[in-house]
Amino acid sequence: MIPSTPVARWTWGRDIAPEDKIFACLHDLMDAWSVLANYQLVVGTPRISVSVHEAGASKNQLFQGCLEPDVTNPTSRAVGELAQQVEAALSPGEIGAVYAEAEGIGGIVTGDRAAREERLFLVGASAVLDYVSTELVTFSDAWMPYDLKGQAQADVYAANAQRLSAALHGMSEALHSEIDPDEPTYFAKPTESGVDNYREDDGTPSDVWSSFEVPHRYGKFTHAPGFGHIGYKRSAEGPVLYVPVHGPREVIGYLWASDAEGAASFEPRNVSDDESYEAGLMWLDRLRSAHDRGLSPTEALAELTGPLDQSKPSTVDLASLREMSHRS
């Protein structure tokens, strides 16, 4: 299971020469990535984002860009080439801090096959003053005895936990630094060798998916970004017009609008289901586009639901619509 925010995080750190910030940051980032690749926890070429900030003026970026290393070369040579690319494009100014992140395709073993998924890991590194810090973040529960819903996953755990444990140890060796498990997240507790589940008072594994991920996802549909100032409002006190939206098999939610309150959103039926959730986010994007083009909420509703070949929109207060959605 892949939640919206990290499951666990670990860090490493070491002293460096202040003049080596760019090379040291990229070197430790690539060393960490190489360890993950050795255990097939990541595959392919990483996408590396790099930013270099001016000393004494951190908002001023001397460099910002995306790089791809030549993974056919030894790590030290690939890092040297990346550092040269950054240095050649630097704007004038004294380097204060260097930040880099690498992401790509991850590998999880499920049953008798290896599955490739996005957002399994994020590797980050930063060089500030005379210190470089490296961070590993995982968004997956494949390393845990129980999934985020508290359900046993013995086969998945057996196939993946030891690989992560070995990689964590390998990163400590490669980075010449002791591992520092970060604070517990909403979903799990990182340790020096892996990730532990939360448990209830009686010892049963906690359903943190329902406790944290589901409310987080649902909040996307009820609270507009920018403290409610970007796009239409996503809540209303009075009646709203609504139209059901059908997925391949059933109704996945309801598109609704209220001109009186400047509000429009999508009311999902099941945000726990990844396909339904992603479909709901797509409708939010379409509503945002309609808002940016100056359409009123009901004009947006009419435009977006026209291709659905629906009957005339119905009217109901939003609380009743939400109750109907969650009950159906």
Side-chain angles (χ1 to χ4, degrees):
M1 303 179 75
I2 306 291
S4 304
T5 57
V7 169
R9 180 185 287 106
W10 303 264
T11 58
W12 296 259
R14 64 183 179 91
D15 296 326
I16 59 170
E19 63 272 16
D20 291 338
K21 289 186 181 71
I22 294 175
F23 183 86
C25 181
L26 292 171
H27 179 274
D28 285 17
L29 182 84
M30 285 299 298
D31 268 356
W33 186 270
S34 296
V35 172
L36 293 177
N38 287 341
Y39 291 98
Q40 299 182 329
L41 292 168
V42 294
V43 295
T45 303
R47 301 181 297 275
I48 300 178
S49 301
V50 181
S51 62
V52 181
H53 299 256
E54 186 175 9
S58 60
K59 293 184 179 180
N60 184 22
Q61 292 187 346
L62 304 180
F63 175 86
Q64 198 285 321
C66 295
L67 308 173
E68 285 195 4
D70 185 349
V71 293
T72 63
N73 285 333
T75 299
S76 59
R77 180 177 175 183
V79 170
E81 293 175 349
L82 291 176
Q84 289 176 2
Q85 292 179 45
V86 175
E87 291 166 354
L90 279 176
S91 299
E94 180 185 354
I95 297 174
V98 182
Y99 301 96
E101 285 188 349
E103 59 182 349
I105 304 297
I108 287 181
V109 177
T110 56
D112 58 354
R113 67 185 183 88
R116 296 186 176 186
E117 295 188 29
E118 295 273 4
R119 295 183 73 246
L120 289 189
F121 292 101
L122 177 69
V123 182
S126 60
V128 182
L129 298 177
D130 57 355
Y131 192 80
V132 62
S133 176
T134 305
E135 175 184 76
L136 175 66
V137 176
T138 182
F139 291 84
S140 174
D141 63 359
W143 341 106
M144 300 160 60
Y146 301 88
D147 67 18
L148 298 182
K149 292 183 177 180
Q151 299 171 342
Q153 51 176 10
D155 291 344
V156 172
Y157 175 70
N160 296 285
Q162 286 301 316
R163 294 194 299 140
L164 176 63
S165 180
L168 293 174
H169 177 73
M171 289 175 69
S172 293
E173 292 187 338
L175 299 171
H176 307 289
S177 170
E178 293 184 359
I179 188 172
D180 182 14
D182 207 352
E183 295 295 320
T185 67
Y186 289 125
F187 302 108
K189 296 177 286 186
T191 69
E192 293 185 359
S193 59
V195 192
D196 285 345
N197 288 93
Y198 282 110
R199 292 181 179 272
E200 301 299 317
D201 292 340
D202 62 1
T204 59
S206 300
D207 179 4
V208 291
W209 183 268
S210 297
S211 300
F212 298 107
E213 178 63 12
V214 170
H216 177 86
R217 290 186 174 193
Y218 187 61
K220 299 280 188 181
F221 301 94
T222 59
H223 297 88
F227 298 99
H229 297 296
I230 298 177
Y232 303 119
K233 290 173 53 182
R234 295 180 184 174
S235 62
E237 298 296 330
V240 300
L241 292 175
Y242 75 93
V243 171
V245 176
H246 293 265
R249 296 176 298 275
E250 59 184 358
V251 172
I252 61 171
Y254 302 88
L255 205 62
W256 63 264
S258 168
D259 282 345
E261 302 190 50
S265 187
F266 181 83
E267 182 62 29
R269 287 187 59 195
N270 182 15
V271 293
S272 184
D273 177 74
D274 288 341
E275 290 186 11
S276 296
Y277 175 60
E278 294 297 332
L281 294 180
M282 179 186 68
W283 285 106
L284 289 184
D285 288 341
R286 291 172 176 174
L287 284 170
R288 171 68 186 278
S289 176
H291 174 274
D292 292 347
R293 289 185 284 114
L295 273 62
S296 71
T298 57
E299 287 173 339
L301 181 68
E303 178 180 280
L304 296 179
T305 59
L308 300 180
D309 191 27
Q310 297 284 350
S311 57
K312 184 178 179 180
S314 303
T315 302
V316 70
D317 66 272
L318 185 56
S320 297
L321 179 63
R322 287 173 172 168
E323 182 181 351
M324 177 178 66
S325 177
H326 298 162
R327 184 178 63 246
S328 57

